[in-house]
Every structure is written in C-alpha cells, then in structure tokens.
Amino acid sequence: MRAPPHLFGRQNEIDLLQNLLVKGVGGNVVLVGPPGVGRHTLLRAFASRVNGGKTFGSLRYARLLEIDTATIVAGTANLNEVVDKI
C-alpha cells in the first residue's frame, strides 16, 4: 500500500497518529469526520510509512487491519447478529 502522491501538508497528522499509537492508552485510534476530509488517505499514507519501516520501532512493519463496518452491519437486524459476524 503506497501513499498517494498528492498527499501534501499532512505530515503533522501522520506524526500525531504514530505518537498516539505508540504512547497512547490502549494503542488504538479512531478517525472520525465527514466524508471527503481524507481519513482513508491519511491511513494509507501512515500504512506506507509502516510498510517502509519508517516509524517508531514498535510500529515498524506492524500488521494493519481495516474493518469495513458497513459490510459487518449490512443485513443484520440486531446487535447480537453484528457480534456474531465479528
């Protein structure tokens, strides 16, 4: 996964994401925002940094997972069905 070539000016956000994962409580981050603000692009750029080994030691070559919540929730009638899918 490579960072999009048109990603400029987001190094601070990528650095913040990296710092939160290393020093934050629990090692999890949730990005929220309206459609089109660049959440996926930011994650792709971060993944590119991880794959290239250009992160802190504990994140170097880490396994990154993307959860498609729309697919998980699709066709379920209640919370128990969502939990069963997970």
Side-chain angles (χ1 to χ4, degrees):
M1 184 180 295
R2 295 187 57 203
H6 62 276
L7 182 66
F8 295 104
R10 297 292 182 192
Q11 294 308 313
N12 289 340
E13 287 84 352
I14 295 171
D15 291 341
L16 177 61
L17 179 61
Q18 176 177 263
N19 288 332
L20 288 170
L21 287 170
V22 170
K23 299 173 187 171
V25 177
N28 297 304
V29 175
V30 176
L31 299 178
V32 296
V37 297
R39 293 182 313 268
H40 287 98
T41 304
L42 180 68
L43 289 176
R44 285 187 187 98
F46 176 70
S48 178
R49 189 184 278 191
V50 169
N51 282 340
K54 298 175 182 161
T55 61
F56 294 132
S58 60
L59 292 176
R60 222 171 259 146
Y61 307 109
R63 181 177 176 196
L64 302 175
L65 302 175
E66 178 181 2
I67 300 172
D68 185 355
T69 54
T71 302
I72 293 172
V73 174
T76 59
N78 59 47
L79 180 60
N80 289 332
E81 290 180 15
V82 174
V83 171
D84 289 342
K85 280 187 172 185
I86 294 173

